[in-house]
Amino acid sequence: MDDWLYVLVTLVVSGFVGGITNHYAIKMLFHPRRPVYIGKWHVPFTPGLIPKRRDDIAKSLGKVVAEYLVTPEGVQEFLVRPSFRAQAEERIKQAFFQLADSQSTVREILLRWMTEDRWESLKLEMSDAGRSAANRALRAIWEKQDLGSRQLKAVVPGWTEENRQRWSEKAAEIVIRSLEDELLSSAGQKLLTKLAGELVDKTGGFLGAMAAIFVDEDKLVRKLTPVLLRTLHGKELEGQLVGMIRDKLEQFGEQQIGELLELIVEQEPLDWLKEQSERLPVESWIRSIEQLEVGQLIAPWKEKADRWIPSITGKAIELIGGLLPAAFQAIRLPSLVQEQVEKFPIERLEEIILSLSGKEFRAITWLGVLLGGMIGLIQALFIIWTR
């Protein structure tokens, strides 16, 4: 064989071997996906490097991400940057003023973020949570303050003799006014007429017979009404009523609140408080709120927005920054990254890497062709020289 032909063949074969070697070396990063067996013999280098070391790669990647790439300190440093704060303030202002100019109701705004079924379910959850919170709050106050065993006078502020006298006079005035209104009402006049008729009927003997013939019940009521009103506004009745109320207040002030409440409601105080919390019209409150226009709720704060939004933004950033270490610890970032990498399909990973590094991989293949060809050329020339 001529020397030039020998050199050419050696050059082509060496270049082909170098190129095909690099090509399959790259392929062996991802292929085969699973171990290959011939009988019981495990074929070496199967599966490929990445499928074989997938768990180790995921674990290492999770550690690197948590310790070097995404750390609480790094995120905190990003949050306190003036550029980030300014951008956050601008976004909050835009959202605020957009809501302030909106004529949508609270319900309409919420339904943009969730389905109607989800909102109705959430309202039920909020109603139950509201009642439970009210019950817990009432129970906590009752038990923490030990209200059941405390005397009424120790709880009511301003429980002095002077105040009790004033409260009694006010209560007596209310009672007298209420009795007067009831007496002058149509129902009160009917009641007086009925009482007058019963009084005439119960009068026996000759006087009773004469009264039944000559006495006009309506006229009797018209004459009795002014007398009753003068009696109601008389100092004697008012004084007796004030004294009675004052004595009752003094008596109640010495009693324990638990005993008084149990006497009034005729059941255990805590059970009664629970019933009252369960009767709260939370659903009605929520329906009233969801029909309000968002713009009307926000409008009073619109003029002050430029002052309080920067302050609130700063406080929110500080709060988030302070919670980051605990949040990172709670989500266990290394484990989270490891789980996500383990779930990621090898096929998709290969597609991503090849799409990003396809040119470089092809360059490596052609570099193998070049290096193989150069080695073949040197080898052929060396053999010809030493022949």
Side-chain angles (χ1 to χ4, degrees), residues 22-37:
N22 280 13
H23 174 74
Y24 277 104
I26 294 172
K27 286 292 184 181
M28 288 177 66
L29 292 172
F30 304 97
H31 300 274
R33 311 288 191 201
R34 295 179 178 82
V36 177
Y37 291 89

Side-chain angles (χ1 to χ4, degrees), residues 28 36-37 62 109 148 153 200 242 254 268 315 343 371:
M28 288 177 66
V36 177
Y37 291 89
I109 294 293
K153 65 181 181 180
V200 171
V242 169
E254 299 295 332
E268 288 292 329
K315 295 294 184 182
K343 293 177 182 179
L371 291 176

Side-chain angles (χ1 to χ4, degrees), residues 221-240:
V221 169
R222 285 196 295 271
K223 291 181 179 181
L224 283 175
T225 301
V227 175
L228 292 175
L229 291 177
R230 285 194 298 272
T231 304
L232 283 176
H233 290 285
K235 295 295 183 182
E236 183 179 357
L237 177 61
E238 183 179 355
Q240 292 178 350

Side-chain angles (χ1 to χ4, degrees), residues 99-113:
L99 287 175
D101 296 334
S102 173
Q103 295 182 347
S104 301
T105 63
V106 174
R107 177 184 176 86
E108 291 171 347
I109 294 293
L110 291 172
L111 291 181
R112 295 177 186 175
W113 301 94

Side-chain angles (χ1 to χ4, degrees), residues 21 32 76 78 100 161 176 225 235 238 271 315 320 348:
T21 300
Q76 286 173 339
F78 175 77
E161 184 176 354
I176 291 173
T225 301
K235 295 295 183 182
E238 183 179 355
D271 294 338
K315 295 294 184 182
I320 294 172
R348 179 59 179 159

